[in-house]
Amino acid sequence: MPVLVVVGAQWGDEGKGKVTDLLCEQAEVVVRYQGGNNAGHTVENLRGKFALHLVPSGIFNPNVLSVIGNGVVIDPTVLRGEIDGLEGRGVNMRGLKIAGKAHLIMPWHIMLDHVQEARLGKGKIGTTGRGIGPCYADKAARQGVRMQDIIDPAGFRQKVMDTMAAKAEVLAKAYDQDVSHLKEECERYIEAAESLRPYIEDTALLIWNSLREGKSVLLEGAQGTLLDLDHGTYPYVTSSNPVAGYASVGSGIGPTHLSDIWGITKAYTTRVGEGPFPTELTDATGDRLREVGNEFGTTTGRPRRCGWLDLVALRYAARINGFTGLCITKLDVLDSFDTLKVCTKYKWNDKVFDELPPAQHIFSQVEPIYEELPGWKSDITGARSVKDLPDETIDYLNFIVKNVQVPISLISVGPKREEHIKVPHPYAERSQGAQSGYGGY
Ligand code: IMP
């Protein structure tokens, strides 16, 4: 029974939305397993253009079960707004289910996110300011408010007000914040949260039952491997675990059920927020990637930092997640470049690294060692099969496969839904390390 995990292989924004949207045609259950409304992707379909932050992409098919798993943190006002927006445009929400074990982002989490960032000053993380870190911190500290608490309205209200009183004290005394509006804000959150009651379920059991019925399940990761709390560029990371191993924890199904793990990577690299980024280009080439690739955040609108593809980091992501397939996105963004650089190793003082260095302070100082490949200087957006691609493009893809030792399953050659290539049999004859292709799902 296929359970496919889709994971960001870089620092997020790899174009997972488009890939999951395409896969939703085949999946019968789609699950978000971590993160919150720090994520965001745009889905374009026959109904128009939609910006989703919390609702899984499966929602456009009413027969698909769209699950917000226990590993997700939910801002109830944001989710309410997203549901209203979708319903207002005729999308049926029948398939939406929310894990009772998922934690709620409350107004104090958002305040804490902002004041903690302000206190860090120059050393700030560059968070999305959505309260993600403080909410996960409360979860770990066993001080969180959960979706299932809503089922007991009086108990829920009491819990929110008690927690608010404790947090208000910290915000006022430790951070000198005006907390006079906090109670009113909490009322707004309580109202939004209570309106979500009909969607609360034991989602782990629902997924389990779907598996027993032989249904296909898609586990949809947010952010990316290098933003992972354990395996990313700590402390410049998010506060959840986007890696494939957490897909099991954050959805409530055992790891033995995971059958395929696809890593999504752009044909180059981007990052938002602070933190090390060895292949970053702060010159005109970086500006060109940003402009051609329209690299501005869906959630915050921030310009993304841009750079060449980093194969050391991609190999690391393949190892940490156990990728069985790669999806290369935004390949067309490279159409007009004369030559393309790809980082294959790092150097630091007199040392050369094939793998990510063992300590962050080294990673933040490494310099990329590049190999240069010829560009293809032609428009590839019309390609629908590997054989439609110029030789230089195929060489670029083969270079990636050879270095990462994971076959390519899907290639995105333009922003539109149909602008992609499914790779039925990874072009194994032309690449090494090929195991299974798109047809495996
Ligand atoms: P937080 O998740 O809001 O706490 O932000 C922590 C770091 O993760 C910051 O560098 C953010 O820019 C980054 N981040 C969070 N969500 C995303 C995302 O969906 N795409 C890219 N970066 C993200």
Side-chain angles (χ1 to χ4, degrees):
M1 169 58 277
V3 177
L4 173 64
V5 189
V6 165
V7 186
Q10 299 170 308
W11 278 286
D13 307 317
E14 298 92 349
K16 294 181 292 293
K18 178 171 172 182
V19 175
T20 52
D21 185 41
L22 287 171
L23 291 167
C24 281
E25 287 170 1
Q26 297 158 54
E28 292 157 290
V29 182
V30 179
V31 187
R32 261 288 297 273
Y33 61 81
Q34 46 69 233
N37 61 313
N38 47 350
H41 62 249
T42 312
V43 175
E44 253 185 287
N45 55 30
L46 294 175
R47 285 203 175 90
K49 204 168 175 175
F50 297 85
L52 299 180
H53 296 282
L54 281 163
V55 174
S57 342
I59 202 66
F60 298 103
N61 181 345
N63 301 319
V64 166
L65 208 55
S66 290
V67 176
I68 301 181
N70 56 277
V72 176
V73 289
I74 300 169
D75 182 322
T77 62
V78 172
L79 183 54
R80 183 70 257 167
E82 211 165 299
I83 293 172
D84 290 346
L86 287 161
E87 278 182 330
R89 291 171 69 185
V91 180
N92 188 331
M93 301 306 291
R94 190 178 69 208
L96 182 66
K97 308 289 170 202
I98 308 172
K101 289 176 184 161
H103 280 243
L104 287 172
I105 294 178
M106 297 303 287
W108 55 82
H109 293 133
I110 298 170
M111 282 183 81
L112 282 165
D113 198 352
H114 287 283
V115 294
Q116 285 167 357
E117 279 284 90
R119 184 157 285 187
L120 285 171
K122 273 193 175 161
K124 71 178 194 299
I125 310 291
T127 72
T128 59
R130 304 296 198 258
I132 306 294
C135 184
Y136 277 114
D138 275 356
K139 175 178 176 175
R142 293 152 297 177
Q143 292 170 6
V145 182
R146 298 196 290 177
M147 284 302 296
Q148 62 182 268
D149 296 332
I150 300 167
I151 297 167
D152 165 21
F156 175 57
R157 168 169 290 276
Q158 191 64 47
K159 195 167 192 173
V160 170
M161 292 305 166
D162 288 351
T163 315
M164 183 203 69
K167 299 290 178 183
E169 210 174 323
V170 173
L171 281 160
K173 292 187 180 157
Y175 291 100
D176 200 22
Q177 293 297 297
D178 174 10
V179 289
S180 55
H181 64 292
L182 206 50
K183 187 160 186 292
E184 203 179 309
E185 267 296 275
C186 284
E187 291 295 351
R188 199 165 69 82
Y189 271 67
I190 289 173
E191 192 185 330
E194 286 185 336
S195 79
L196 300 173
R197 192 180 298 126
Y199 301 103
I200 302 171
E201 293 269 357
D202 180 348
T203 51
L205 184 60
L206 284 183
I207 304 168
W208 168 248
N209 286 333
S210 301
L211 286 174
R212 286 204 300 190
E213 287 165 26
K215 293 188 171 162
S216 317
V217 179
L218 176 65
L219 304 178
E220 181 184 1
Q223 289 88 42
T225 304
L226 296 165
L227 287 173
D228 186 274
L229 181 60
D230 286 77
H231 299 288
T233 49
Y234 191 91
Y236 300 101
V237 292
T238 191
S239 297
S240 68
N241 293 97
V243 295
Y246 196 81
S248 164
V249 179
S251 59
I253 58 169
T256 47
H257 291 290
L258 311 184
S259 36
D260 254 310
I261 296 161
W262 284 10
I264 320 299
T265 175
K266 278 178 191 164
Y268 50 98
T269 311
T270 64
R271 171 165 207 173
V272 249
E274 309 302 317
F277 177 0
T279 62
E280 180 172 17
L281 296 165
T282 50
D283 58 4
T285 310
D287 293 344
R288 190 163 151 206
L289 281 171
R290 185 175 311 106
E291 210 173 293
V292 183
N294 190 23
E295 295 296 353
F296 297 90
T298 325
T299 300
T300 57
R302 290 182 288 180
R304 295 178 184 142
R305 299 157 65 192
C306 297
W308 296 120
L309 184 62
D310 182 343
L311 290 180
V312 185
L314 190 55
R315 276 199 300 270
Y316 172 75
R319 172 162 62 83
I320 293 294
N321 290 287
F323 291 154
T324 58
L326 279 179
C327 304
I328 313 285
T329 62
K330 297 189 115 172
L331 189 58
D332 56 298
V333 172
L334 303 180
D335 277 358
S336 66
F337 287 81
D338 290 327
T339 53
L340 304 165
K341 286 189 182 171
V342 182
C343 168
T344 53
K345 290 176 185 173
Y346 300 144
K347 69 168 182 265
W348 179 70
N349 297 335
D350 55 352
K351 282 201 170 71
V352 172
F353 290 91
D354 288 313
E355 300 285 341
L356 243 62
Q360 269 306 300
H361 76 279
I362 304 176
F363 185 64
S364 60
Q365 291 168 32
V366 294
E367 280 176 43
I369 298 178
Y370 287 117
E371 287 202 32
E372 210 161 307
L373 281 81
W376 43 93
K377 302 281 284 174
S378 58
D379 179 0
I380 60 165
T381 49
R384 294 293 173 269
S385 115
V386 172
K387 59 181 186 319
D388 298 336
L389 293 169
D391 284 349
E392 292 84 354
T393 319
I394 296 180
D395 289 344
Y396 188 75
L397 295 173
N398 276 340
F399 192 81
I400 298 172
V401 173
K402 193 170 152 226
N403 269 276
V404 183
Q405 293 286 295
V406 177
I408 293 174
S409 305
L410 191 88
I411 304 160
S412 174
V413 290
K416 296 203 187 99
R417 200 165 196 276
E418 65 278 14
E419 287 169 342
H420 68 270
I421 299 170
K422 290 176 182 172
V423 186
H425 311 290
Y427 34 106
E429 310 82 55
R430 304 198 50 157
S431 64
Q432 293 175 11
Q435 298 145 17
S436 69
Y438 183 82
Y441 182 59

